[in-house]
Amino acid sequence: MKKKNSKDGSGSKNQKPVNTEQIRKGLIVAHRGVAVDVVFDDGECEMVRVKRRSGHVVGDGVAVRGEVLKRLPRRTELRRRDARGAVHLVGANLDVLGIVVAPRPAPPSGFIDRAIVAARVANLQPFVVLNKSDLDASAELFASLLATYSSAVSVFSLSASKGQGLDPLLDFLAEGHRGAFVGTSGVGKSSLLNVLCPGIDLGVGEISEYGQGRHTTTVATLNTLSGGGELIDTPGFRDFGLVDISVQDLSEHFPGFEKARDSTCRFRDCRHRSEPGCAVVELVTQNQVSAERYENYLEILQEVEAAEEETRRRGWKN
Ligand code: GDP
Ligand code: ZN
C-alpha cells in the first residue's frame, strides 16, 4: 500500500498534482483525532484532515474531493458509553462482534448475555471467544459456554498467548468481514489483536489510556487480516465496552429465547415475567428453556429495569 500525506507533502517528490474535481471513494482505516487515514479504492492511503467532532469513524466509507470528505451511508453503527455516561460511536459498517471471556478474570454475571443482546440490537452477529485455553479451568468453562450458547452463536476456544486454536476464528472472520472485540480488562483482547493482526503492536497487560505509549495519537484503527476479514480496534471501546441495553432489547434478543419468536407472546411489549400468554414462560414450562437460563434472564431484567430508572433520573440520553 502506497502511503502519502495530503497536507505536508512528505511523500514522493513525483506526486501528481491533486485534481480537486476528482471524487475518489475510500475507507477510513485510522482515526487520529484531527485527521483520518483513508485507503482509496486504488489501494492508495492518504491522511485527510477532519474536524475534531466531525463524526467520522473507522469503517466509514467516504467520498473525497480535494480535501473535502463526505461520509457515505452506514450499514451498521457500533456505540459505547463512557464512564460519564456519554455515548460514542466507535466504528461503522461492522458485521460481527467477538465477546471475549477467560477463566481468569471470569466473566461478570450477565456479561455475555448483555453483549449478545447489544450486538443483535446493533445488527451485528455476535460470537463468543474463550481465551486462555491453556489454563486448566478453561475446559469446564468451555463446556458450559457450549451448553448455554452454541445453539445461538458460535463459540471459539483458543489461547492468544500460545497462538493455539486460532484457525477456526480466522476462518470465521474471513466470512464475517469486519468485527471488533469486547470483553472485560485482562481477558486478553490486546493479546488476541496482536496475534491476529501482526503489526498492530498493542501493549499487553497495560491499562490503556490516552496519552500513554504508542497509541497517543491513533485513537482507532481498522486492521486487515491476511486470510480475509478486518478487525477494528479502539482503545476506548476496549476499556469501557458497549452501551446499555433496554428492557425491550433484552426481552427481544436474550440468547436462548429464539424459539419464542415463532410463537409470540400475547403482548407485544411482554417482559416474559408474569404476563398472561407469554411464549417464553411456556417454553420454560416445556423445558425447552432451562429454569436456570430463565432465572438468569429475570436477574438481568431486574438490573436493566433499575438502570433504566437510574438513566431517567439522571437524564442521560441514548
Ligand atoms: P486485555 O486487557 O483484555 O487487553 O488483556 P491483555 O491482552 O492485556 O492480557 C491480560 C493478561 O492475560 C496478560 O498478562 C496476558 O499475558 C495474559 N494472557 C493473554 N492471553 C493469554 C492466554 O492465552 N493464556 C494465558 N495464560 N494468559 C494470557
Ligand atoms: Zn413473554
Side-chain angles (χ1 to χ4, degrees):
M1 189 192 297
K2 286 175 279 176
K3 196 162 185 165
K4 70 175 186 185
N5 184 325
S6 68
K7 276 288 166 185
D8 64 13
S10 62
S12 94
K13 279 181 189 156
N14 318 325
Q15 251 176 39
K16 281 178 268 168
V18 180
N19 178 354
T20 49
E21 294 309 306
Q22 193 189 356
I23 297 177
R24 293 186 299 160
K25 287 197 174 158
L27 170 70
I28 297 183
V29 296
H31 200 303
R32 304 167 188 281
V34 291
V36 292
D37 290 358
V38 178
V39 171
F40 290 97
D41 292 350
D42 62 6
E44 192 151 296
C45 182
E46 199 169 310
M47 201 190 279
V48 182
R49 271 195 201 171
V50 290
K51 293 208 179 83
R52 194 163 271 284
R53 298 199 195 285
S54 65
H56 298 97
V57 289
V58 159
D60 262 332
V62 290
V64 181
R65 183 183 199 161
E67 289 181 355
V68 179
L69 190 125
K70 198 174 151 232
R71 182 168 66 72
L72 301 176
R74 291 174 180 145
R75 203 169 64 242
T76 63
E77 296 182 331
L78 184 63
R79 296 169 194 283
R80 71 174 175 92
R81 194 185 284 284
D82 71 17
R84 279 175 293 179
V87 173
H88 303 268
L89 195 61
V90 294
N93 303 318
L94 277 90
D95 307 287
V96 294
L97 183 75
I99 301 155
V100 186
V101 297
R104 274 199 308 271
S109 155
F111 177 80
I112 300 174
D113 295 322
R114 285 165 180 268
I116 288 176
V117 170
R120 286 176 170 174
V121 171
N123 243 327
L124 309 186
Q125 184 190 346
F127 61 97
V128 175
V129 178
L130 171 63
N131 186 31
K132 312 196 186 184
S133 63
D134 53 300
L135 299 182
D136 286 344
S138 81
E140 198 185 325
L141 179 54
F142 187 46
S144 103
L145 290 174
L146 284 177
T148 309
Y149 296 108
S150 62
S151 64
V153 302
S154 300
V155 184
F156 301 91
S157 170
L158 52 83
S159 168
S161 64
K162 302 247 186 284
Q164 284 163 359
L166 303 176
D167 287 345
L169 176 60
L170 286 167
D171 291 346
F172 174 80
L173 289 170
E175 292 167 26
H177 309 304
R178 187 176 296 160
F181 291 126
V182 64
T184 49
S185 182
V187 294
K189 296 177 300 300
S190 311
S191 309
L192 191 54
L193 285 162
N194 279 338
V195 71
L196 297 176
C197 320
I200 187 169
D201 198 14
L202 300 177
V204 163
E206 286 172 5
I207 306 292
S208 47
E209 254 176 28
Y210 297 139
Q212 271 191 356
R214 296 181 58 127
H215 286 259
T216 313
T217 48
T218 303
V219 176
T221 56
L222 183 144
N223 308 276
T224 304
L225 306 174
S226 56
E230 294 157 334
L231 283 170
I232 283 180
D233 177 53
T234 86
F237 188 59
R238 259 188 285 134
D239 296 347
F240 296 106
L242 299 156
V243 289
D244 314 326
I245 54 174
S246 70
V247 166
Q248 183 76 20
D249 298 337
L250 181 70
S251 61
E252 271 179 38
H253 298 288
F254 188 76
F257 288 2
E258 289 82 6
K259 279 188 201 146
R261 288 204 197 127
D262 308 334
S263 48
T264 46
C265 305
R266 187 179 305 165
F267 298 108
R268 269 183 62 199
D269 57 352
C270 184
R271 296 186 176 195
H272 319 313
R273 194 182 259 130
S274 48
E275 295 89 339
C278 173
V280 170
V281 171
E282 182 60 26
L283 288 176
V284 179
T285 317
Q286 294 167 0
N287 241 345
Q288 295 202 50
V289 166
S290 75
E292 194 191 344
R293 283 300 287 158
Y294 185 57
E295 278 301 312
N296 293 156
Y297 167 77
L298 290 178
E299 231 169 84
I300 300 174
L301 176 63
Q302 205 170 6
E303 289 164 9
V304 172
E305 284 171 338
E308 279 194 352
E309 192 47 46
E310 175 72 8
T311 303
R312 260 195 293 276
R313 206 176 56 75
R314 291 205 203 183
W316 280 353
K317 293 206 176 67
N318 272 314

